[in-house]
Amino acid sequence: MEREKLSACLITFNEEKNLGDCLESIAGLADEIVIVDSGSTDLTEEIARKYGARIAVHPFDDFGRQKQRAIDLATHPWILLIDADERVSGELSSEISQLLQDRSRLDRNQGYEINRLNFFMGKAILHGGWSPDYLVRLFRKGQARISANLVHESVHVSGTTGRLVHRLYHFTYASMEAFIQKNARYARLSALEKKSRGSAPGLIKVLLHPPFVFIKMYLFRQGFRDGKEGLFLAILYSYYTSLKYIWQFYL
């Protein structure tokens, strides 16, 4: 039986360090690759074209809208939403391929969650709230949309969702510097979102929320079991939380 066709969709901006490995991991799985780029000045476009990707350029406004643009450009009935710093394991690729061949099983759900294994500075993080990390990443086009969040967007499926067994690898934050730079941007977007919802800034939030985040990640969610990386992540997320609430005073 011929399998359902799959479009892999992603967004990029100066991803030459990540994109090749990402696209290589889906080369035998995706029937088309759709990329919405927000004006890369490095080799991102050249790498994308090497893998036969279709590229559209659109100025970045927020993550949700940018990803939805990529989905809207896809031509196949099933979508795999992936980030440039993620890799589809060989086992996950085989599982998705087999699923797309099994029409009776495929039609039971309109979307499927995939459990990401997140890496921080090269180490797989298994605690602190980073694992398990189930996200809807495989879904039928027209039956799901990206949330309107400025940051930490998610996929909302119209219908039932299932879960796949094998994992998606997420190579996030190769260094402390990468975390600080990326989350400084996220903090501002998060503050803008809070402001748009009418959330008022407050010094109590600045004082109390960051230490609570540290305690929750490091103790309650057992981040200490991930060694020094678990400690650093709890500290860094506490810092990120501080930035979110401080930004609200200046927007």
Side-chain angles (χ1 to χ4, degrees), residues 8-77:
C9 298
L10 60 157
I11 64 173
T12 56
F13 177 69
N14 288 345
E15 289 285 0
E16 65 178 12
K17 292 182 179 179
N18 288 314
L19 189 59
D21 288 340
C22 173
L23 298 186
E24 184 65 31
S25 77
I26 59 174
L29 175 65
D31 298 289
E32 74 170 349
I33 299 170
V34 180
I35 295 176
V36 174
D37 184 78
S38 49
S40 293
T41 56
D42 63 358
L43 298 176
T44 293
E45 183 175 348
E46 181 179 325
I47 294 167
R49 295 199 185 282
K50 175 184 173 183
Y51 286 89
R54 291 196 294 115
I55 306 169
V57 178
H58 193 286
F60 182 87
D61 41 18
D62 61 64
F63 290 98
R65 288 190 181 95
Q66 199 77 332
K67 289 183 178 181
Q68 188 63 52
R69 290 183 184 106
I71 294 167
D72 291 342
L73 289 170
T75 63
H76 294 320

Side-chain angles (χ1 to χ4, degrees), residues 29-156:
L29 175 65
D31 298 289
E32 74 170 349
I33 299 170
V34 180
I35 295 176
V36 174
D37 184 78
S38 49
S40 293
T41 56
D42 63 358
L43 298 176
T44 293
E45 183 175 348
E46 181 179 325
I47 294 167
R49 295 199 185 282
K50 175 184 173 183
Y51 286 89
R54 291 196 294 115
I55 306 169
V57 178
H58 193 286
F60 182 87
D61 41 18
D62 61 64
F63 290 98
R65 288 190 181 95
Q66 199 77 332
K67 289 183 178 181
Q68 188 63 52
R69 290 183 184 106
I71 294 167
D72 291 342
L73 289 170
T75 63
H76 294 320
W78 282 86
I79 305 293
L80 176 67
L81 189 64
I82 188 170
D83 292 337
D85 60 357
E86 295 174 339
R87 314 285 179 262
V88 173
S89 66
E91 296 83 0
L92 178 59
S93 179
S94 296
E95 184 180 9
I96 293 173
S97 185
Q98 290 169 14
L99 175 65
L100 293 171
Q101 288 177 338
D102 188 345
R103 295 292 180 87
S104 61
R105 181 182 167 211
L106 193 63
D107 289 342
R108 293 175 196 165
N109 300 295
Q110 300 303 312
Y112 290 85
E113 294 182 335
I114 300 174
N115 189 11
R116 283 198 310 186
L117 180 60
N118 298 292
F119 290 78
F120 175 65
M121 297 181 67
K123 179 175 180 176
I125 303 299
L126 302 177
H127 307 91
W130 267 32
S131 183
D133 184 21
Y134 283 99
L135 300 168
V136 175
R137 289 303 190 85
L138 179 68
F139 50 89
R140 189 182 294 276
K141 186 178 179 181
Q143 297 298 317
R145 291 196 66 82
I146 308 295
S147 66
N149 302 47
L150 296 180
V151 65
H152 303 310
E153 72 293 336
S154 58
V155 178
H156 295 283

